[in-house]
Amino acid sequence: MMLFAPALSAVLASKVAESLGIRLATSEEREFDGGEHKMRSLEDVRGEHAFVIHSLCGNDAASANDRLCRLLFLAGGLKDAGASRVTTVVPYLPYARKDRRTQPRDPVTTRYVAAMFEAVGVDCVVVLDIHNDAAFDNAFRIQTVRLEAAETFAAAVAGGIGEQRVVVASPDIGGIKRAQKFRETLSRLLVREVDFAFVEKRRTQGVVSGEALVGSVEDAEIVFYDDMIVSGTTLVRAVNVARRAGARQIRVAAPHAAFAPAAAQLFQSDGPDTVLVSDSIPLRPEFMPFLQGRLQVCSIAPLIAKTIGELA
């Protein structure tokens, strides 16, 4: 087993390597004129099972497309160099939300991304909390592993909850199944019943509306669970609805902190009491100061390390 990571994902990969009790394999990265790039192993990979960790959410350092190409070219190079098997660990997979046609002649980009992984010889793709499980499974013809951060977040939440009533909630109807699974996990850890609620959401020409709350949250601790945070608008709307309904304390949790600048609204005075995210995506610099307050990062490195150990 050998573990690789581009420099852009070295922080998470180093944590995974530490959890596994191994070191990251040495490699060389070079930048060329015109934005071209090369990465190669400096160690013999012939006959080895090579794992590559790289999160593909774009930021100021590199776009999602750039990150995707770097991962694919490295994986293909490892296979060409004789690796017996190449597994890519992609905590955040881009284009996972473009999994169906919503307008005439729309691309189904999730399927095209899957074809790219297959084309360079990747044997297995590991992802974390994908947007649509069924669409992801249908897009790939190679082995896939879907990880969930629910256990990681449930452990963090359970440690700070007292004896008061707890409600897990979905900020919209589309996330009900995901939030229900988290409710079951949290209930198992707390060894008591956890209630459920959800907020109505409508989107018309890009404008989000709807404030109906289904379920009782009065005098309860609320945990809104979603798959990712971008602008935070959906969660802020849900938090406001829950506060007006009498919620005592409100947490929000999401595995993917794909923060846009607008997500700063989550940390204003009327925002949730705690925001929990994972390190599947490196935090943007402007959000680092919030780590001293309401923002909490729960590492998925142990979960990834456990999975790599099982696959090796």
Side-chain angles (χ1 to χ4, degrees):
M1 178 178 63
M2 301 180 73
L3 186 61
F4 294 86
L8 292 168
S9 292
V11 174
L12 176 59
S14 296
K15 293 178 184 177
V16 173
E18 184 178 355
S19 294
L20 286 167
I22 64 174
R23 61 173 179 82
L24 285 176
T26 56
S27 56
E28 174 194 38
E29 291 188 66
R30 294 181 62 189
E31 307 292 333
F32 298 96
D33 292 341
E36 297 181 13
H37 168 272
K38 181 185 80 171
M39 182 174 177
R40 69 183 180 97
S41 171
L42 295 178
E43 302 180 33
D44 185 7
V45 298
R46 189 169 300 279
E48 298 284 352
H49 187 168
F51 289 83
V52 183
I53 299 176
H54 196 26
S55 191
L56 305 181
C57 183
N59 59 14
D60 294 339
S63 71
N65 296 336
D66 186 28
R67 291 170 182 267
L68 177 60
C69 284
R70 289 169 186 253
L71 175 64
L72 293 174
F73 296 162
L74 174 57
L78 291 170
K79 204 64 184 287
D80 287 346
S84 63
R85 187 170 176 83
V86 174
T87 295
T88 56
V89 181
V90 190
Y92 178 82
L93 182 71
Y95 300 109
R97 290 177 288 176
K98 194 67 191 83
D99 55 20
R100 60 192 176 93
R101 291 188 177 92
T102 55
Q103 300 181 53
R105 297 171 296 282
D106 249 2
V108 186
T109 318
T110 301
R111 182 159 52 85
Y112 312 151
V113 169
M116 294 180 193
F117 279 87
E118 295 162 11
V120 298
V122 170
D123 297 284
C124 177
V125 177
V126 180
V127 297
L128 175 75
D129 283 286
I130 204 72
H131 182 69
N132 184 322
D133 292 348
F136 173 77
D137 290 343
N138 289 333
F140 282 83
R141 294 174 296 177
I142 57 176
Q143 181 186 5
T144 58
V145 178
R146 288 188 278 104
L147 305 182
E148 296 181 354
E151 291 276 358
T152 301
F153 284 118
V157 170
I161 286 180
E163 297 302 316
Q164 61 268 36
R165 188 167 70 93
V166 181
V167 178
V168 167
S170 173
D172 56 30
I173 294 175
I176 286 179
K177 183 177 179 180
R178 180 185 306 107
Q180 282 279 25
K181 291 174 69 175
F182 178 73
R183 182 194 66 81
E184 294 167 4
T185 302
L186 183 60
S187 178
R188 188 169 63 251
L189 280 180
L190 293 174
V191 198
R192 59 187 169 101
E193 186 62 30
V194 173
D195 294 330
F196 187 76
F198 67 89
V199 178
E200 174 198 24
K201 172 184 170 182
R202 297 188 300 273
R203 188 185 298 273
T204 306
Q205 295 181 336
V207 177
V208 175
S209 61
E211 296 189 349
L213 174 67
V214 178
S216 172
V217 300
E218 187 173 2
D219 290 328
E221 287 214 23
I222 313 302
V223 184
F224 280 105
Y225 195 73
D226 209 350
D227 63 332
M228 66 187 300
I229 303 173
V230 183
S231 69
T233 299
T234 295
L235 282 166
V236 166
R237 177 185 56 85
V239 166
N240 290 335
V241 170
R243 285 206 193 284
R244 289 196 294 271
R248 175 182 298 181
Q249 186 174 32
I250 302 176
R251 295 175 172 88
V252 302
H256 302 303
F259 289 155
Q265 64 184 309
L266 283 167
F267 304 99
Q268 295 177 357
S269 58
D270 58 348
D273 298 290
T274 308
V275 177
L276 294 96
V277 297
S278 84
D279 50 0
S280 68
I281 299 171
L283 284 179
R284 296 170 63 104
E286 60 266 38
F287 289 90
M288 298 296 286
F290 296 122
L291 287 170
Q292 309 302 318
R294 283 180 278 175
L295 180 59
Q296 181 180 343
V297 176
C298 303
S299 182
I300 54 166
L303 174 61
I304 292 176
K306 178 176 180 291
T307 303
I308 289 176
E310 293 169 349
L311 291 172

